[in-house]
Short mmCIF file of all heavy atoms in Angstrom, two decimals:
data_model
loop_
_atom_site.label_atom_id
_atom_site.label_comp_id
_atom_site.label_asym_id
_atom_site.label_seq_id
_atom_site.Cartn_x
_atom_site.Cartn_y
_atom_site.Cartn_z
N LEU A 388 40.48 -9.13 9.09
CA LEU A 388 40.79 -10.31 9.81
C LEU A 388 40.21 -11.55 9.09
O LEU A 388 40.87 -12.61 8.90
CB LEU A 388 40.33 -10.24 11.21
CG LEU A 388 40.71 -11.49 12.08
CD1 LEU A 388 42.20 -11.71 12.19
CD2 LEU A 388 40.07 -11.39 13.46
N ARG A 389 38.98 -11.40 8.59
CA ARG A 389 38.31 -12.53 7.96
C ARG A 389 39.06 -12.91 6.70
O ARG A 389 39.20 -14.11 6.37
CB ARG A 389 36.85 -12.14 7.57
CG ARG A 389 35.84 -12.19 8.79
CD ARG A 389 34.48 -11.81 8.25
NE ARG A 389 34.04 -12.75 7.25
CZ ARG A 389 33.51 -13.93 7.46
NH1 ARG A 389 33.27 -14.30 8.71
NH2 ARG A 389 33.13 -14.67 6.48
N ARG A 390 39.54 -11.87 5.94
CA ARG A 390 40.33 -12.17 4.76
C ARG A 390 41.58 -12.99 5.05
O ARG A 390 41.97 -13.87 4.31
CB ARG A 390 40.69 -10.88 4.00
CG ARG A 390 39.54 -10.32 3.18
CD ARG A 390 40.05 -9.28 2.20
NE ARG A 390 40.63 -8.11 2.88
CZ ARG A 390 39.93 -7.01 3.29
NH1 ARG A 390 38.62 -7.03 3.19
NH2 ARG A 390 40.58 -6.07 3.84
N LYS A 391 42.21 -12.64 6.15
CA LYS A 391 43.45 -13.34 6.53
C LYS A 391 43.17 -14.76 7.05
O LYS A 391 43.93 -15.70 6.83
CB LYS A 391 44.19 -12.60 7.67
CG LYS A 391 44.80 -11.27 7.17
CD LYS A 391 45.49 -10.52 8.36
CE LYS A 391 46.15 -9.24 7.90
NZ LYS A 391 46.74 -8.51 8.98
N LEU A 392 42.00 -14.93 7.71
CA LEU A 392 41.71 -16.27 8.28
C LEU A 392 41.21 -17.26 7.23
O LEU A 392 41.32 -18.44 7.40
CB LEU A 392 40.67 -16.07 9.40
CG LEU A 392 41.12 -15.27 10.62
CD1 LEU A 392 39.94 -15.03 11.57
CD2 LEU A 392 42.25 -16.01 11.33
N LYS A 393 40.50 -16.73 6.21
CA LYS A 393 39.86 -17.62 5.20
C LYS A 393 39.15 -18.78 5.81
O LYS A 393 39.50 -19.93 5.56
CB LYS A 393 40.99 -18.12 4.24
CG LYS A 393 41.68 -16.98 3.49
CD LYS A 393 42.87 -17.53 2.72
CE LYS A 393 43.61 -16.36 2.03
NZ LYS A 393 44.89 -16.84 1.41
N PRO A 394 38.13 -18.51 6.59
CA PRO A 394 37.45 -19.63 7.31
C PRO A 394 36.76 -20.60 6.35
O PRO A 394 36.15 -20.12 5.31
CB PRO A 394 36.45 -18.92 8.20
CG PRO A 394 36.21 -17.61 7.52
CD PRO A 394 37.51 -17.21 6.87
N LYS A 395 36.89 -21.93 6.58
CA LYS A 395 36.19 -22.97 5.77
C LYS A 395 35.77 -24.05 6.68
O LYS A 395 36.46 -24.47 7.64
CB LYS A 395 37.19 -23.52 4.73
CG LYS A 395 37.38 -22.58 3.52
CD LYS A 395 37.99 -23.34 2.34
CE LYS A 395 39.45 -23.71 2.63
NZ LYS A 395 40.10 -24.25 1.39
N GLY A 396 34.55 -24.61 6.41
CA GLY A 396 34.10 -25.72 7.12
C GLY A 396 32.59 -25.54 7.48
O GLY A 396 32.00 -24.48 7.29
N PRO A 397 31.98 -26.56 8.09
CA PRO A 397 30.54 -26.55 8.36
C PRO A 397 30.17 -25.89 9.70
O PRO A 397 28.95 -25.67 9.94
CB PRO A 397 30.19 -28.02 8.40
CG PRO A 397 31.46 -28.72 8.92
CD PRO A 397 32.61 -27.90 8.35
N ASN A 398 31.13 -25.60 10.52
CA ASN A 398 30.80 -25.12 11.88
C ASN A 398 30.86 -23.69 11.99
O ASN A 398 31.37 -22.98 11.14
CB ASN A 398 31.76 -25.79 12.88
CG ASN A 398 31.62 -27.25 12.93
OD1 ASN A 398 30.54 -27.85 12.78
ND2 ASN A 398 32.75 -28.03 13.01
N ALA A 399 30.25 -23.13 13.11
CA ALA A 399 30.13 -21.67 13.28
C ALA A 399 30.80 -21.27 14.61
O ALA A 399 30.89 -22.07 15.54
CB ALA A 399 28.64 -21.27 13.34
N ALA A 400 31.31 -20.03 14.66
CA ALA A 400 31.89 -19.50 15.86
C ALA A 400 31.87 -18.02 15.81
O ALA A 400 31.76 -17.41 14.79
CB ALA A 400 33.39 -20.01 16.06
N THR A 401 31.97 -17.39 17.01
CA THR A 401 32.06 -15.96 17.12
C THR A 401 33.45 -15.64 17.79
O THR A 401 33.76 -16.22 18.79
CB THR A 401 30.93 -15.34 17.97
OG1 THR A 401 29.70 -15.69 17.37
CG2 THR A 401 31.06 -13.83 18.06
N VAL A 402 34.16 -14.70 17.18
CA VAL A 402 35.42 -14.23 17.77
C VAL A 402 35.28 -12.79 18.25
O VAL A 402 34.78 -11.93 17.51
CB VAL A 402 36.57 -14.29 16.75
CG1 VAL A 402 37.85 -13.71 17.27
CG2 VAL A 402 36.80 -15.74 16.29
N PHE A 403 35.66 -12.53 19.48
CA PHE A 403 35.66 -11.22 20.07
C PHE A 403 37.08 -10.70 20.09
O PHE A 403 37.89 -11.32 20.76
CB PHE A 403 35.04 -11.21 21.42
CG PHE A 403 33.60 -11.58 21.49
CD1 PHE A 403 33.17 -12.95 21.60
CD2 PHE A 403 32.57 -10.65 21.40
CE1 PHE A 403 31.90 -13.26 21.61
CE2 PHE A 403 31.27 -10.94 21.39
CZ PHE A 403 30.86 -12.26 21.53
N LEU A 404 37.36 -9.61 19.46
CA LEU A 404 38.65 -8.96 19.55
C LEU A 404 38.54 -7.86 20.59
O LEU A 404 37.76 -6.88 20.38
CB LEU A 404 39.05 -8.35 18.18
CG LEU A 404 39.02 -9.34 16.98
CD1 LEU A 404 39.30 -8.57 15.71
CD2 LEU A 404 39.95 -10.50 17.19
N THR A 405 39.25 -7.99 21.66
CA THR A 405 39.02 -7.02 22.74
C THR A 405 40.22 -6.93 23.65
O THR A 405 41.36 -7.42 23.28
CB THR A 405 37.71 -7.42 23.58
OG1 THR A 405 37.43 -6.38 24.49
CG2 THR A 405 37.89 -8.77 24.25
N ARG A 406 40.10 -6.34 24.78
CA ARG A 406 41.16 -6.33 25.79
C ARG A 406 40.62 -6.95 27.08
O ARG A 406 39.48 -6.74 27.44
CB ARG A 406 41.55 -4.85 26.07
CG ARG A 406 42.32 -4.23 24.89
CD ARG A 406 43.05 -2.96 25.38
NE ARG A 406 42.18 -1.97 26.07
CZ ARG A 406 41.45 -1.02 25.43
NH1 ARG A 406 41.57 -0.94 24.12
NH2 ARG A 406 40.75 -0.18 26.10
N VAL A 407 41.46 -7.67 27.74
CA VAL A 407 41.12 -8.23 29.01
C VAL A 407 42.14 -7.64 30.00
O VAL A 407 43.37 -7.96 29.90
CB VAL A 407 41.18 -9.81 29.04
CG1 VAL A 407 41.00 -10.30 30.45
CG2 VAL A 407 40.05 -10.32 28.10
N ALA A 408 41.67 -6.79 30.92
CA ALA A 408 42.58 -6.14 31.87
C ALA A 408 43.73 -5.47 31.11
O ALA A 408 44.87 -5.49 31.59
CB ALA A 408 43.05 -7.12 32.89
N GLY A 409 43.40 -4.83 29.97
CA GLY A 409 44.40 -4.04 29.25
C GLY A 409 45.15 -4.83 28.15
O GLY A 409 45.80 -4.20 27.35
N ALA A 410 45.10 -6.18 28.20
CA ALA A 410 45.90 -6.98 27.23
C ALA A 410 45.05 -7.33 26.00
O ALA A 410 43.89 -7.83 26.17
CB ALA A 410 46.36 -8.24 27.85
#
Side-chain angles (χ1 to χ4, degrees):
L388 180 64
R389 283 181 58 84
R390 280 196 298 272
K391 290 179 179 177
L392 294 173
K393 299 174 184 170
K395 281 198 291 189
N398 298 321
T401 300
V402 174
F403 295 89
L404 307 176
T405 188
R406 293 196 302 272
V407 174

